[in-house]
Amino acid sequence: MTSIDQPASHGESHRHGVLFVFAAGVLWSTVGLGIRLIEEASVWQILLYRSVSMSLFLYVVIRVRSGESPFAQARRIGGPAVVAGLSLVAAYSGGIFAIQNTSVANAMLLFATAPFMAAVLGWLVLREPVRPATWIAIAVAIGGIGIMVADKSGGVVLAGSLAALGSAFGFAVFTVALRWGRTGEMLPAVFLSGIFAIIITASICLILGQSLVLTWNDGGVAMGMGLFQVGAGLILYTLGSRSLPAAELALLSLAEVLLGPVWVWLFLGETASINTLIGGAVLLMAIAGNAISGKRRKPPPITSP
């Protein structure tokens, strides 16, 4: 590994950052495949098991990384950590429901609207300025969403599309809550979201009379998602985002959106409708255009400690 005293260290750091963030996107992109491999479990059962493994994993990682309890870190952040944690529970729930009720391509593309929602929320709540280019990109993105949601084919269900947009809104609230708390550290808030999710989903399962014991397949897939797809993805993203500007992070995040539908097509033969492809292309152009137009501005990513 290159020494920090050598000139190549900055380039090396940037390359590692790109690799880590791209790898995080690849892991996150498997969410659709994971949900499709679930045979019987409901949204709440999947989220319960996924949250258990994610929380245990993040507890160990945060403890080793900082020598401090994640509860203590979340307490220090205060109210914003609670808001961020609860918003992630809503995002997770909407995301799983969306993938169960619409095509993976449709859901993943709609998830990608979260940065635009965060920009508008930050403007409304925190009075953060929004660049003219971002407003244009938001308008274009809304056009793309309109094309996708107007799809009446069998693979696209309106309820699933609305749940995907609700999930994106939850992620946007999470992002704004971190800015509100003036913290760049996302892991304690994500850990807190896992604890909240365990309590909420276990309660809902009991109220609805759903079993807390899943089959080996469903329990294993759900816990594997919590460990690898969410937990490991977050660690890689947190490490990689330190050396990358926000615009580059936005572009690399497209790996998650583009690869998600590829996995279910390769392994399960699931395809996307024409409306999803056309609307998705418009949406991706809006995201990429906004990221490229902001490349000269290099604000620190929100995940920097």
Side-chain angles (χ1 to χ4, degrees), residues 213-224:
V213 180
L214 299 186
T215 63
W216 281 104
N217 176 79
D218 288 3
V221 170
M223 293 193 80

